[in-house]
Amino acid sequence: MAKVSRPPPAVALVLVLVGLVAAVADAAPGPRGLTRYTRVFAFGNSLTDTGNAAIFPATAGGPFTRPPYGQTYFGQPSGRASDGRLIIDFLADELRVPQPTPYLAGRTAADFLNGTNFAVGGATALDPAFLVTKGIMSFVPISLSNQTSWFQNVLRLLNSSSVYEQRKVMASSVFYVGEIGLNDYFFALNSNSVDVAVSLVPHVIGAIRSALTAMIAAGARTVVVTGMLPIGCEPQQLALFPGGPGDYDPATGCIARFNEIAERHNLALRVMLGELRLAHPGRSLSYADIYRAVTRAVASPTLYGFGGMPLAACCGGGGGPYNFNFTTFCSAPGSAACADPSKSISWDGIHFTEAANRFLTRAMLKGLL
């Protein structure tokens, strides 16, 4: 395995990342008396999943478990939907905490003591039964409410002794809610219309709010919530929904009406987080923006170290400006290898390259300064 490249220690930057202005009393003291976090609890979909989809029966043996996934960093598939590391990997590295154990890979309290990743590739924010009422079929029967239930299971394992011990664990933990809701909107767009996808926004935000409320009730004090990425910049969507000249943002080439869904989502998410901050003073609830970082990189790729085709999938096939076709999806027979993922934003037309994930992590840090 390649050696992890660690940035210089930056305790103050870590505190900024999680939105803290003072140490949490119950957390373990770190350098200079500042709060030191000991673990991460992560939630989300394939943009955050580090191995659950590779174990879950409905997705085991899927694309992420086959080469060339993992080629850049791990040298082999690691269950991550990328050529290498994800935002959660870079975040854990920045926080100086262990990589959280995929929930489905653990069994005992010892397995989860250093953190847990509940994210599952293909997961939705909304329960599959609700999506069916909207005429939407999901492919992975895992939603954010399932991940919240898994968190409660881990909590019972870790904190069977006393309420005080539970408070200590929660106070010294960072809760990272990766982007969630993208699959809900994807499925709506693929089977219905933009209007149906837009109608899901308040429900998706409500599902995220319910999950955050459960975390706060359990004692979570530091929560980072990632916003929606620009849906209309995804090579998959661009290839599946060709339009006329007026359908594209002239600055980015992305589908404008799809990006408007993401903008609605992000506005509603920020409003909801503001309401929770007022209801729960003393808790740090930070919004992590990746939307603007992606659109900036797509509009000016060379400025940020990427190549001249920012809307094309690196791995897979299909040719054209987006290089995406489901029949030649990355790792499928007949798919083309990716010669230099470091110059691409999209790895397979849906997920980011390691280079893009590193870029997005840095953008998140700067955006929370």
Side-chain angles (χ1 to χ4, degrees):
M1 181 179 293
K3 183 179 180 180
V4 177
S5 175
R6 289 184 176 274
V11 174
L13 182 59
V14 172
L15 294 177
V16 167
L17 167 66
V18 295
L20 293 178
V21 294
V24 179
D26 286 337
R32 300 179 186 176
L34 298 176
T35 302
R36 176 181 178 272
Y37 297 97
T38 56
R39 70 189 61 79
V40 174
F41 291 114
F43 304 77
N45 54 31
S46 55
L47 297 181
T48 306
D49 182 8
T50 55
N52 285 313
I55 300 171
F56 189 62
T59 51
F64 315 153
T65 65
R66 301 191 295 267
Y69 284 87
Q71 72 176 49
T72 295
Y73 183 77
F74 300 98
Q76 61 185 4
S78 68
R80 291 163 173 79
S82 179
D83 61 303
R85 290 165 289 181
L86 310 180
I87 291 174
I88 182 63
D89 295 304
F90 291 112
L91 177 61
D93 190 54
E94 183 68 33
L95 290 170
R96 302 282 194 247
V97 299
Q99 292 296 331
T101 302
Y103 174 74
L104 297 178
R107 291 291 182 272
T108 67
D111 296 325
F112 302 120
L113 187 60
N114 290 325
T116 313
N117 190 339
F118 304 100
V120 179
T124 52
L126 298 168
D127 291 337
F130 176 83
L131 291 173
V132 167
T133 68
K134 296 289 186 177
I136 301 168
M137 295 297 296
S138 59
F139 299 100
V140 179
I142 297 294
S143 65
L144 192 52
S145 66
N146 295 119
Q147 295 179 32
T148 304
S149 296
W150 291 351
F151 164 63
Q152 298 290 350
N153 293 341
V154 168
L155 198 62
R156 283 189 286 270
L157 283 174
L158 293 179
N159 305 297
S160 58
S161 54
S162 69
V163 173
Y164 174 71
E165 289 301 320
Q166 176 175 319
R167 288 183 64 236
K168 284 180 62 178
V169 170
M170 295 297 98
S172 62
S173 302
V174 172
F175 286 74
Y176 175 71
V177 181
E179 179 281 311
I180 188 73
L182 179 64
N183 289 322
D184 305 67
Y185 301 137
F186 270 180
F187 298 150
L189 291 170
N190 292 345
S191 60
N192 292 281
S193 68
V194 172
D195 289 340
V196 173
V198 169
S199 75
L200 293 181
V201 171
H203 300 288
V204 169
I205 299 302
I208 297 172
R209 182 177 191 137
S210 294
L212 296 179
T213 300
M215 297 174 204
I216 292 170
R221 303 187 65 85
T222 303
V223 185
V224 178
V225 185
T226 306
M228 184 56 55
L229 54 81
I231 301 170
C233 298
E234 289 282 272
Q236 176 204 35
Q237 300 300 302
L238 286 158
L240 292 178
F241 298 97
D247 293 325
Y248 301 97
D249 181 335
T252 61
C254 303
I255 302 173
R257 68 187 187 278
F258 287 7
N259 279 357
E260 289 172 3
I261 301 169
E263 291 169 359
R264 284 174 178 260
H265 173 103
N266 289 337
L267 176 59
L269 179 60
R270 292 195 299 270
V271 169
M272 182 268 286
L273 288 173
E275 293 170 350
L276 285 182
R277 290 187 198 105
L278 290 175
H280 302 281
R283 308 297 175 101
S284 172
L285 299 167
S286 300
Y287 170 75
D289 182 13
I290 62 173
Y291 181 96
R292 287 180 296 178
V294 173
T295 53
R296 285 198 302 266
V298 167
S300 305
T302 57
L303 183 63
Y304 298 100
F306 298 106
M309 297 184 67
L311 295 176
C314 187
C315 177
Y322 312 124
N323 192 40
F324 182 88
N325 190 310
F326 272 123
T327 62
T328 52
F329 191 75
C330 184
S331 83
S335 65
C338 178
D340 188 3
S342 70
K343 295 301 181 182
S344 294
I345 296 172
S346 178
W347 165 244
D348 57 14
I350 301 174
H351 308 96
F352 298 119
T353 60
E354 173 174 298
N357 283 320
R358 180 188 291 108
F359 164 73
L360 292 174
T361 306
R362 291 172 178 170
M364 286 167 53
L365 291 170
K366 292 178 180 178
L368 288 167
L369 286 173

